[in-house]
């Protein structure tokens, strides 16, 4: 069973949903743009770890613990980059949906008042 509810184009609920979707996309774009430099930094630190292990660089940044292994830095950098790409894809999809809804609302005729 499919239930369709017709809302007026200028209703508070429709405007609120569009506003939330707009800010969801903006926040996702902002976070994705911040994750890319952080992931590059983590990959560069992993490269430093590889070079320190082979003797081409000085002592690595961290001496002990889980973060003293270059593999952990590389995995975290790749994971952060993947998360940034997923957030950007989500934001693009959300922005496309919002613009499609807005264009359909502009074409919709307002409901007659009783």
């Amino acid at each position: 069973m499919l239930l369709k509810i017709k809302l007026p184009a200028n209703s508070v609920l429709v405007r609120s949903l569009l506003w939330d979707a707009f800010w969801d996309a903006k926040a996702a774009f902002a976070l994705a743009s911040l994750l890319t430099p952080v992931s590059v930094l983590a990959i560069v630190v992993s490269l430093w770890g590889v070079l320190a292990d082979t003797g081409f660089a000085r002592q690595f940044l961290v001496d002990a613990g889980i973060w003293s292994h270059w593999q952990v830095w590389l995995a975290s950098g790749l994971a952060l980059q993947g998360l940034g790409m997923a957030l950007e894809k989500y934001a693009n999809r959300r922005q496309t949906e919002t613009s499609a809804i807005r264009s359909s609302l502009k074409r919709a005729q307002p409901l007659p008042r009783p």
Side-chain angles (χ1 to χ4, degrees):
M1 181 163 114
L2 182 63
L3 176 67
K4 290 187 178 183
I5 300 174
K6 287 187 177 183
L7 294 172
N10 287 333
S11 73
V12 175
L13 179 64
V14 170
R15 283 186 283 146
S16 173
L17 291 174
L18 285 175
W19 185 255
D20 290 345
F22 173 77
W23 282 108
D24 281 351
K26 292 291 183 188
F29 273 130
L31 189 57
S33 68
L34 291 175
L35 283 177
T36 299
V38 173
S39 69
V40 169
L41 180 67
I43 292 171
V44 167
V45 170
S46 73
L47 180 62
W48 181 13
V50 169
L51 292 175
D53 282 351
T54 58
F56 287 111
R58 293 185 182 183
Q59 186 177 3
F60 189 54
L61 179 69
V62 183
D63 289 335
I66 187 80
W67 293 103
S68 65
H69 305 288
W70 63 267
Q71 295 92 344
V72 175
W73 286 98
L74 182 64
S76 64
L78 293 176
L80 286 171
Q81 184 62 32
L83 180 63
M85 289 169 59
L87 274 173
E88 191 172 347
K89 186 176 181 181
Y90 166 77
N92 282 330
R93 187 176 62 238
R94 192 77 169 171
Q95 199 171 34
T96 304
E97 290 171 357
T98 305
S99 62
I101 292 171
R102 282 186 180 164
S103 66
S104 68
L105 286 177
K106 287 179 183 175
R107 288 179 296 192
Q109 297 296 324
L111 294 176
R113 295 199 177 253

